[in-house]
Amino acid sequence: MIANNDDCYAEIVTQIGEAKSLAAMQKIAGDICKVYNLANIAYHALYIPGAKVFNPILLLTYDPGWIARYKDNDYFKIDPVVVSGTKSFLPLDWVNLDRESAVARGFFAEADRYDVGRQGITLPVRGAAGERALFTITSNMSMREWDKRRIGYMKEFQMIAHYMHDRIVDLSGYRDAKPKPLLSAREMTCLEFAAQGAAVKQIAGKLKITDRAVRLFLSSACAKLDCATIHQVVAKTITLEMLRP
């Protein structure tokens, strides 16, 4: 784990679930940057059902000058991260982005003047209600240090990205309040272990049941909560305060 320890990671997830406003989420994002030695975190909702504007939610730790310039020049249309991220379902390492075209060179040179971060990873997020978002972390550490850390970053921020997405969308008022679905004791237990990062085989070993049974319990929980993936269902149960990892 890249965070200082397991307790630190659990505290981050707890704070996300307890955030009462977007301002609180902004502070949490800044705190996460410090814990993980990051330059910035950027959450960008691309599409939310019911939203009447493009790019309905932005939660960013970037320099305010860069944010204003980005919006004023409508860089959403040329940003290589956004252009590539909207087409991908997999984590996007910035080393694989187009940096050779004149437009890309100019964009990254300008971003560098605002200390956006030389390295980065962008995680596409698909929400339970059909939302689409991009969650980005950036760093100014050396390439050698970045190479050591980026796999760990991808693993841990897959979950953090979904936690933050679910809470941010909820705080933004884009979800109707609904009764919490009832999950069985086994479904809840499997989800609790999944929230801690346990794989299906590990959960099966802890509960002394088959791998197939674990998958059935997790699939059933996904169906009840109208989620497509385990990441989504874990994030949703934490947001609904049904469990905490």
Side-chain angles (χ1 to χ4, degrees):
M1 179 160 288
I2 294 176
N4 296 338
N5 51 54
D6 288 354
D7 289 340
C8 183
Y9 177 81
E11 177 61 21
I12 287 171
V13 173
T14 298
Q15 288 181 13
I16 292 170
E18 293 178 346
K20 302 301 183 186
S21 67
L22 291 178
M25 287 297 296
Q26 181 85 29
K27 182 181 183 304
I28 291 169
D31 291 342
I32 293 173
C33 286
K34 294 175 184 176
V35 171
Y36 282 87
N37 191 29
L38 298 171
N40 286 291
I41 283 177
Y43 169 83
H44 174 193
L46 299 166
Y47 168 75
I48 296 179
K52 300 184 184 303
V53 295
F54 294 110
N55 309 303
I57 312 172
L58 294 170
L59 194 147
L60 317 163
T61 65
Y62 294 141
D63 183 305
W66 172 243
I67 296 172
R69 184 158 183 78
Y70 191 104
K71 290 180 179 178
D72 290 345
N73 290 280
D74 198 14
Y75 282 164
F76 298 104
K77 296 178 180 178
I78 66 165
D79 184 346
V81 175
V82 175
V83 172
S84 297
T86 54
K87 302 173 184 176
S88 178
F89 286 87
L90 300 175
L92 178 67
D93 191 324
W94 285 17
V95 298
N96 298 318
L97 290 173
D98 166 33
R99 291 175 180 265
E100 299 303 318
S101 69
V103 171
R105 286 200 306 272
F107 175 83
F108 281 115
E110 189 171 357
D112 196 47
R113 290 197 291 272
Y114 286 93
D115 202 27
V116 166
R118 293 187 299 272
Q119 295 88 31
I121 295 170
T122 296
L123 302 165
V125 178
R126 300 296 188 271
E131 317 98 55
R132 291 185 291 114
L134 298 177
F135 184 92
T136 295
I137 60 172
T138 71
S139 171
N140 283 315
M141 64 184 66
S142 69
M143 200 63 210
R144 181 177 180 180
E145 185 66 20
W146 178 251
D147 284 339
K148 292 180 183 177
R149 291 174 175 249
R150 60 179 158 190
I151 299 301
Y153 281 146
M154 284 187 187
K155 180 180 178 181
E156 290 181 40
F157 277 96
Q158 282 279 12
M159 294 301 290
I160 291 175
H162 277 83
Y163 296 148
M164 290 191 71
H165 166 78
D166 210 62
R167 191 59 181 151
I168 288 170
V169 172
D170 188 51
L171 289 170
S172 299
Y174 286 109
R175 287 192 180 138
D176 296 327
K178 295 179 181 178
K180 296 178 183 178
L182 293 176
L183 300 183
S184 71
R186 277 298 199 195
E187 289 166 345
M188 290 292 291
T189 302
C190 289
L191 283 175
E192 286 168 358
F193 283 125
Q196 295 166 13
V200 167
K201 189 170 289 296
Q202 293 172 313
I203 298 172
K206 291 175 185 289
L207 298 180
K208 295 181 171 53
I209 58 178
T210 65
D211 293 6
R212 182 173 181 274
V214 172
R215 291 192 181 92
L216 285 173
F217 286 128
L218 292 174
S219 296
S220 176
C222 284
K224 288 181 181 180
L225 284 156
D226 194 26
C227 294
T229 68
I230 300 304
H231 289 324
Q232 289 176 5
V233 76
V234 169
K236 192 165 187 176
T237 50
I238 290 175
T239 299
L240 294 174
E241 298 182 350
M242 295 170 68
L243 79 138
R244 294 221 179 120

mmCIF file of all heavy atoms in Angstrom, residues 3 6 10 40 104 126 152 158 188 219:
data_model
loop_
_atom_site.group_PDB
_atom_site.id
_atom_site.type_symbol
_atom_site.label_atom_id
_atom_site.label_comp_id
_atom_site.label_asym_id
_atom_site.label_seq_id
_atom_site.Cartn_x
_atom_site.Cartn_y
_atom_site.Cartn_z
ATOM 1 N N ALA A 3 -0.166 4.486 0.541
ATOM 2 C CA ALA A 3 -0.480 5.336 1.687
ATOM 3 C C ALA A 3 0.312 4.834 2.882
ATOM 4 O O ALA A 3 0.790 3.702 2.912
ATOM 5 C CB ALA A 3 -1.973 5.278 1.979
ATOM 6 N N ASP A 6 -2.532 0.824 6.274
ATOM 7 C CA ASP A 6 -3.924 0.462 5.988
ATOM 8 C C ASP A 6 -4.903 1.388 6.690
ATOM 9 O O ASP A 6 -5.958 1.728 6.142
ATOM 10 C CB ASP A 6 -4.195 -0.982 6.422
ATOM 11 C CG ASP A 6 -3.512 -1.993 5.500
ATOM 12 O OD1 ASP A 6 -2.944 -1.563 4.481
ATOM 13 O OD2 ASP A 6 -3.551 -3.193 5.811
ATOM 14 N N ALA A 10 -8.004 3.560 5.089
ATOM 15 C CA ALA A 10 -9.366 3.437 5.610
ATOM 16 C C ALA A 10 -9.905 4.793 6.045
ATOM 17 O O ALA A 10 -11.084 5.094 5.847
ATOM 18 C CB ALA A 10 -9.394 2.453 6.781
ATOM 19 N N ASN A 40 -1.357 16.925 -7.992
ATOM 20 C CA ASN A 40 -2.759 17.329 -8.104
ATOM 21 C C ASN A 40 -3.690 16.136 -8.250
ATOM 22 O O ASN A 40 -3.265 15.040 -8.648
ATOM 23 C CB ASN A 40 -2.956 18.245 -9.322
ATOM 24 C CG ASN A 40 -2.417 19.642 -9.097
ATOM 25 O OD1 ASN A 40 -2.955 20.405 -8.299
ATOM 26 N ND2 ASN A 40 -1.340 19.972 -9.793
ATOM 27 N N ALA A 104 -0.632 19.475 -28.908
ATOM 28 C CA ALA A 104 -0.309 18.791 -27.657
ATOM 29 C C ALA A 104 0.916 19.406 -26.994
ATOM 30 O O ALA A 104 0.936 19.607 -25.769
ATOM 31 C CB ALA A 104 -0.081 17.300 -27.918
ATOM 32 N N ARG A 126 -17.077 4.716 -14.578
ATOM 33 C CA ARG A 126 -18.446 4.499 -15.049
ATOM 34 C C ARG A 126 -19.332 4.337 -13.835
ATOM 35 O O ARG A 126 -19.150 3.411 -13.044
ATOM 36 C CB ARG A 126 -18.535 3.252 -15.943
ATOM 37 C CG ARG A 126 -17.663 3.303 -17.202
ATOM 38 C CD ARG A 126 -18.110 4.421 -18.127
ATOM 39 N NE ARG A 126 -17.449 4.398 -19.420
ATOM 40 C CZ ARG A 126 -16.299 5.014 -19.693
ATOM 41 N NH1 ARG A 126 -15.678 5.701 -18.750
ATOM 42 N NH2 ARG A 126 -15.781 4.967 -20.913
ATOM 43 N N GLY A 152 1.130 0.754 -8.097
ATOM 44 C CA GLY A 152 0.432 0.863 -6.828
ATOM 45 C C GLY A 152 -0.625 1.948 -6.854
ATOM 46 O O GLY A 152 -1.729 1.779 -6.312
ATOM 47 N N GLN A 158 -8.070 3.117 -8.181
ATOM 48 C CA GLN A 158 -9.264 2.560 -8.813
ATOM 49 C C GLN A 158 -10.424 2.631 -7.834
ATOM 50 O O GLN A 158 -11.546 3.014 -8.182
ATOM 51 C CB GLN A 158 -9.026 1.101 -9.226
ATOM 52 C CG GLN A 158 -8.212 0.921 -10.487
ATOM 53 C CD GLN A 158 -9.053 1.083 -11.754
ATOM 54 O OE1 GLN A 158 -10.189 1.535 -11.725
ATOM 55 N NE2 GLN A 158 -8.463 0.722 -12.879
ATOM 56 N N MET A 188 -23.290 -8.779 2.454
ATOM 57 C CA MET A 188 -22.606 -7.696 3.168
ATOM 58 C C MET A 188 -21.185 -8.103 3.546
ATOM 59 O O MET A 188 -20.237 -7.324 3.388
ATOM 60 C CB MET A 188 -23.397 -7.319 4.418
ATOM 61 C CG MET A 188 -24.712 -6.626 4.146
ATOM 62 S SD MET A 188 -24.488 -4.974 3.429
ATOM 63 C CE MET A 188 -23.800 -4.102 4.829
ATOM 64 N N SER A 219 -22.398 -10.806 -7.174
ATOM 65 C CA SER A 219 -23.267 -10.501 -8.317
ATOM 66 C C SER A 219 -24.666 -10.113 -7.855
ATOM 67 O O SER A 219 -25.279 -9.186 -8.397
ATOM 68 C CB SER A 219 -23.353 -11.709 -9.254
ATOM 69 O OG SER A 219 -22.101 -12.001 -9.824
#
